Amino acid sequence: MLKCKLGVLPHSDEIKEVISVKKFVAGSLIVFLLAMAFFITGTGGDAFAAEIQKNIKKYEIAVVYDNSGSMYNNTKAWCRAKYAMEIFASMLNYDNGDVLKIFPMWNVTTDGSTPASGGSYAPISIKSIKDIDKISNIYTPVAGDTPFAPAEEAFAELQKSNADVKWLVVLTDGGFNQRGRGAYENVDLQGELETMVGIRSDGSFQSTGINIQYLGIGNAVPVAENKNCNLHSKKSTDNSLKDDLVKICNDIFKRSELPSGYISGNSINFDISMRNVIVFAQGEGAKISGLKTPDGDTVEDIYDSGQRMYSELSAGGYDTFPDISLAGQVVTFDACPKGEGYTLDCTGAEKIQVFYDPNVDIKLSLINSDGTEVDLTSGEIAPGEYTVEYKIVDAVYPENDVTNSDLMGGGVDFTSYVERSDGSVQEFKNGDKVSFEPDEETDIVVEGTYLEDYKISSKDNPSWSFKGIKVNLPEIVNIDVNLSTKQMNNWFVTGKQDKWEPLIAKVTLGGNPLSDEELANVKFDFEISDGVKYTYKQIPGESAYEIYIFRGEDGADIKPETGHYTAKATVEYTDEHGQVAKDEDKLGFDVAIYSVIWRWLIWVIILAAIALLIWFILSRKAWPKNMRFEATNGAKKAKISVNKTINIVSNAYPGVLPCSAEKNSTLYHRSKRTASVKITKVTPSFKVVSFRIGGSPTYTKENGVYRDSNGKEFSPIVVRNNTKVIVEIKGGMPIEGIVYINSKKK
């Protein structure tokens, strides 16, 4: 088995095809081979937006093979008939169950032997590639007349068949002069064939489901054709057989042959990109060596039958010669993008046929109401009405519309519909307006048939952009309103009402201003506390409203009442899907008989008075929050008391230094370590001989008065935290210590 992988197109992933072939012996010529089976089975590109398939049908062909004496008597008709059967056999898709049965008129052998007698006229079944060898090996030991019985046997066999397509092919070179083998009767061939397809004696037609192809070779009796009633007829001459067989194959297998206008000598033009191209060359010595693109690149061949020759086995008792012109070659080439000037390297060919498989795709567009195409990158659209447009395009060059191209058979028969998740289906035509309602999964399906048996469809391809669309309501756009006024500090003086600035309500949608038409579709509402009257109007071109307070509907001002008021503006927007967005804003303002300057002046005075009062309170003198004396020389019970006096007491009676003191710190500093007191007077004590406080001189008692060494009396001393005190006691140990203010002992 030969596996052939088709080329990767610029827009696709891989397209895989398998063509099963076994080269058979001389005479299998057309093994048209399974390259043609490729056309029968078709392919589908995984990455295409839509999938292409050729309609797969099961074929059964019954061939009535005329191996009477006239086919061998000084003629090459026998060789041409076998050649024709090989062609038919080569077209079938045996993997799909196709079959070809040959009904010879007289006994034959199929093993290549040439006995003088024997053989069988039982049907020869061709069910596989290797069976085609049987056709080339057919040999007729004894050729007789021309009985019609084989045609009746073939017809009966087809009537029992369950194949989708059934053909009876009659190959003969003369008239039928026997009903049964050896039973002479001039048979009305025209009438018999018409009856077999279903044409009645009154001219009416009721199909039997069987198609008939009559191929008369040489001097065969003519049969009138009636294709509308499934009766096909062709009279073939020596020179026309090759062309006739191609046309017959096209009728039977629905293949697409490139029109002659696209071929000039060895130059081939393609108006559409091709998934693959099959070239069939016939003629003695015909040889295909390759195909080049217009740029000179080689197109890969994915199947080559090689040169095929004629069969030499005929019938006993006749000197026969084969038709050596019955030779040819079939080559299947890989993808060919659209272009002019492909060059076929082919020599010795009398006839060249090119068969093609268009590489196309479906392009579908959703057009919204403003005429722009919807971007489906997100897989979502908003509900609404859209125009749906589609066409067939070149899959390699999607900008090219090929719907009505000649190579598409002149047109495409479309079926299109919308299928929703609830199973409902809505059919539409190209260019129709289609309404899309909210849905979790909506499919837009487009299918087209062309060239009779080709079908392109988006239905089952997951990569189709229009499969599983979510039709969701879009998020509602925010609408905002902002209230403001140019009136300074929102303060309106009653005596200057004619100079009042209006309130301004600025409206935006999604952060953007609205046009006058859009703003007119926004619901605007306004109110002022205490039922204050007002009027408003839209400001052209500014997406805003002016509101005039204390004004009647007639436009006249209303005498204002002083006080504080609150204005509220409300906007409401409804989008095309019925969703509603709202917003509101409030603004406070004052109406007074005096200017706002006086209001601020009053506040300045009040604040200044408060500041002055605070300063006055905090500047008052106060005693320290905590004050103590701790002796450093072991004196017991040494202490200090503060209450307008400072008394330093020791354990030596009376051991007291009475001091008069006064507050020396502000109330603000009372609790801080910077607090202090001032000693203004020291009263002489009986036991105190001298003392020194902080950095003061030592004062010694003389005649009941404490004086320093210069004779000066005591001067006021400020006592702060950590002030050292020394007191000499008569007849006792001196007291030494430290005064602590709002502080712990170090």
Side-chain angles (χ1 to χ4, degrees), residues 246-291:
V246 170
K247 294 175 182 178
I248 291 172
C249 286
N250 287 346
D251 285 341
I252 295 176
F253 299 107
K254 309 299 183 185
R255 292 182 294 106
S256 303
E257 182 179 357
L258 193 69
S260 59
Y262 290 84
I263 305 173
S264 177
N266 283 15
S267 179
I268 304 174
N269 300 329
F270 298 118
D271 285 349
I272 300 176
S273 297
M274 301 299 171
R275 295 201 294 174
N276 56 73
V277 173
I278 296 175
V279 179
F280 175 32
Q282 298 184 86
E284 183 179 354
K287 180 176 178 57
I288 301 171
S289 299
L291 179 67

Side-chain angles (χ1 to χ4, degrees), residues 708-725:
D708 63 15
S709 59
N710 296 320
K712 292 183 179 181
E713 294 186 7
F714 176 79
S715 296
I717 299 171
V718 176
V719 179
R720 293 181 172 84
N721 185 37
N722 290 327
T723 297
K724 188 175 182 180
V725 178

Side-chain angles (χ1 to χ4, degrees), residues 365-383:
S365 303
L366 288 184
I367 312 298
N368 59 26
S369 57
D370 63 6
T372 59
E373 186 172 347
V374 177
D375 182 2
L376 269 177
T377 304
S378 65
E380 297 185 7
I381 61 172

Side-chain angles (χ1 to χ4, degrees), residues 292-430:
K292 292 186 179 297
T293 68
D295 295 330
D297 297 327
T298 299
V299 180
E300 181 182 358
D301 63 272
I302 57 177
Y303 175 76
D304 185 351
S305 71
Q307 288 181 297
R308 296 298 174 184
M309 305 297 289
Y310 45 84
S311 173
E312 295 183 342
L313 294 178
S314 58
Y318 292 93
D319 292 329
T320 58
F321 299 92
D323 186 347
I324 61 174
S325 70
L326 297 181
Q329 184 179 1
V330 176
V331 179
T332 301
F333 291 100
D334 206 349
C336 295
K338 169 182 177 289
E340 295 185 359
Y342 279 83
T343 303
L344 178 66
D345 186 357
C346 179
T347 57
E350 297 175 9
K351 300 290 182 182
I352 296 176
Q353 279 86 30
V354 177
F355 305 94
Y356 65 92
D357 182 2
N359 188 10
V360 295
D361 198 354
I362 296 175
K363 177 176 174 55
L364 186 145
S365 303
L366 288 184
I367 312 298
N368 59 26
S369 57
D370 63 6
T372 59
E373 186 172 347
V374 177
D375 182 2
L376 269 177
T377 304
S378 65
E380 297 185 7
I381 61 172
E385 188 175 70
Y386 298 86
T387 299
V388 186
E389 298 178 353
Y390 53 78
K391 56 189 175 183
I392 300 296
V393 297
D394 190 303
V396 181
Y397 301 99
E399 66 276 9
N400 293 341
D401 182 354
V402 299
T403 306
N404 297 311
S405 168
D406 290 343
L407 299 186
M408 293 294 291
V412 179
D413 185 12
F414 284 106
T415 299
S416 50
Y417 57 91
V418 173
E419 185 173 4
R420 300 178 176 86
S421 58
D422 62 1
S424 62
V425 173
Q426 178 186 355
E427 295 184 356
F428 66 91
K429 294 182 179 180
N430 187 27

